[in-house]
Amino acid sequence: MSDRKRTIALAITGASGAIYAVRTMAALIERECRVELIVSDYGRRLLRDELGDAAAIDKLGEHITQRYGVTPAGSYALHSNKDLGSKLAS
């Protein structure tokens, strides 16, 4: 990989499969990517329903580190799914 870190947009919706979204996010962070994360209201519910309170959106980074042993080489930013003016919206 080049010196420039890759930026990846990742969205979590209410569709089943929270484990896949979280594992994908962990793998991207482990590979030094910057993840721009958007989670719908139902996506927030899905994380808690399928993965438990430890994977709630406000604890997600900690959950990834504990669950997958990922040393945060990359980073992530959570964007509001209501912000139609965000850089990811256009």
Side-chain angles (χ1 to χ4, degrees):
M1 183 181 272
S2 69
D3 290 341
R4 185 171 168 224
K5 291 186 179 185
R6 296 178 82 181
T7 300
I8 307 290
L10 178 66
I12 300 175
T13 65
S16 183
I19 188 74
Y20 300 113
V22 172
R23 184 61 190 119
T24 297
M25 185 174 161
L28 291 168
I29 290 172
E30 187 174 41
R31 287 165 180 76
E32 301 182 5
C33 293
R34 167 110 176 128
V35 177
E36 302 290 342
L37 180 64
I38 299 176
V39 184
S40 72
D41 294 337
Y42 285 111
R44 289 170 186 262
R45 179 179 172 181
L46 176 79
L47 288 170
R48 293 182 83 148
D49 287 353
E50 291 190 2
L51 302 177
D53 288 338
I57 197 67
D58 59 327
K59 302 174 189 171
L60 192 55
E62 193 176 311
H63 172 75
I64 287 172
T65 300
Q66 290 176 356
R67 175 76 169 99
Y68 299 106
V70 171
T71 304
S75 61
Y76 77 96
L78 178 63
H79 298 272
S80 171
N81 64 314
K82 310 251 189 266
D83 183 3
L84 299 179
S86 78
K87 68 180 181 178
L88 296 177
S90 57

